[in-house]
């Protein structure tokens, strides 16, 4: 094995170790949440705007849909941000299912009747 092959092998192994550690570090953050199983309404969104639903609980994640203001959705579960950032909830309404920022949700038990 020559020097270039050794360097490539070391770089590959280091990359695999870093990827494995990163995947392990992210998993507890995703698991640190709570089941909700309750209806909610989209709030805090201007009447001319929409709330984007994301594939993963992050603002930079791929957009998978959008909800109009005051739309009723089903909240499956939420996660708590470990770094003190935004909490995210997995919501569903008809054929749209994705993660939204929890501050835009008003749970059914908070609704004025």
């Amino acid at each position: 094995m020559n020097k270039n092959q050794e360097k490539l092998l070391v770089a590959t192994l280091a990359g695999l170790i870093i990827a494995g550690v990163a995947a392990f570090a992210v998993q507890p953050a995703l698991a640190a949440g709570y089941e909700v199983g309750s209806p909610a309404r989209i709030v805090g969104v201007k009447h001319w705007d929409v709330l984007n639903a994301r594939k993963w609980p992050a603002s930079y994640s791929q957009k998978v849909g959008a909800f109009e203001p005051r739309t009723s959705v089903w909240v499956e579960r939420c996660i708590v941000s470990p770094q003190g950032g935004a909490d995210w909830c997995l919501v569903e309404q008809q054929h749209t299912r994705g993660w939204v920022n929890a501050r835009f949700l008003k749970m059914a038990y908070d609704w004025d009747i």
Side-chain angles (χ1 to χ4, degrees):
M1 183 180 292
N2 66 31
K3 275 290 200 202
N4 286 337
Q5 290 173 329
E6 286 179 15
K7 288 180 182 179
L8 180 62
L9 179 61
V10 169
T12 302
L13 290 174
L16 289 173
I17 291 169
I18 290 169
V21 169
F24 183 75
V26 169
Q27 188 156 351
L30 292 177
Y34 49 96
E35 294 295 319
V36 178
S38 175
R41 185 175 292 141
I42 304 297
V43 297
V45 178
K46 301 291 184 186
H47 67 89
W48 45 264
D49 204 357
V50 294
L51 177 62
N52 291 328
R54 304 286 179 178
K55 185 173 185 174
W56 301 106
S59 59
Y60 53 82
S61 179
Q62 176 186 354
K63 180 181 168 184
V64 294
F67 299 107
E68 299 284 329
R70 302 198 48 82
T71 299
S72 293
V73 295
W74 180 259
V75 181
E76 183 178 317
R77 63 188 166 108
C78 297
I79 62 168
V80 179
S81 174
Q83 290 84 19
D87 292 355
W88 289 81
C89 295
L90 181 60
V91 301
E92 185 173 5
Q93 195 260 349
Q94 293 182 353
H95 301 294
T96 302
R97 184 172 190 259
W99 292 90
V100 299
N101 189 311
R103 72 184 175 119
F104 294 105
L105 295 174
K106 185 171 186 178
M107 303 310 287
Y109 53 81
D110 291 340
W111 291 357
D112 294 328
I113 298 176

